[in-house]
Amino acid sequence: MSAKKEPSVWQGFKAFLMRGNVVDLAVAVVIGAAFTNIVNSVVKGVINPLVGAIGTQNLDHYSSCLKDPCKVAADGTVQSGVPILWGSVLGATLTFVITAAVVYFLMVLPMSKYLARQADRKAAREGTKEVVEVSELEVLKEIRDALVAQRGPGQGGER
């Protein structure tokens, strides 16, 4: 009687890592991290100077005071009052919108168009196959009818 050898923990772990979805997720995380640097550069190099033309280049400096007097130390600690740092929220929102737009227009939209073209091609191939099958069936029916007509009524083969 031979005992069935169980796969080792290492083999199981290796099989888990080599599954397609885990590898795809790892690639997505790496690309996402690199993409974050690009978006941050766009915000620092383009968006902040445009905002700086109106006011300050650092959106974090935009704030309002909910309870006077507002005093914030250089290190960011609040000394008095209740400041609302709406500039930070605006900066994060702009970063999110830029990221979402780039992901949509450079990744999602082209991929959905590609998949739609693939589906159309597949449907066209299946439609052509269906037409061929129907026309073959029609030809076979015509052959049958011609053979029946040649035989004539009352000659063998009729049931």
Side-chain angles (χ1 to χ4, degrees), residues 75-119:
D75 63 356
T77 57
V78 177
Q79 293 176 340
S80 68
V82 180
I84 304 294
L85 304 174
W86 57 269
S88 299
V89 175
L90 179 63
T93 303
L94 284 173
T95 301
F96 172 77
V97 168
I98 291 169
T99 303
V102 170
V103 166
Y104 180 76
F105 289 112
L106 294 182
M107 295 177 193
V108 174
L109 190 62
M111 182 57 82
S112 63
K113 286 183 179 182
Y114 171 76
L115 293 175
R117 279 196 310 263
Q118 292 295 94

Side-chain angles (χ1 to χ4, degrees), residues 62-67 70 82-87 89:
Y62 289 106
S63 64
S64 298
C65 192
L66 190 61
K67 184 177 178 185
C70 284
V82 180
I84 304 294
L85 304 174
W86 57 269
V89 175

Side-chain angles (χ1 to χ4, degrees), residues 21-53:
N21 54 357
V22 173
V23 173
D24 291 343
L25 181 61
V27 169
V29 167
V30 170
I31 289 175
F35 187 69
T36 299
N37 290 334
I38 293 171
V39 171
N40 287 338
S41 296
V42 169
V43 169
K44 286 180 184 176
V46 177
I47 303 296
N48 284 351
L50 289 175
V51 171

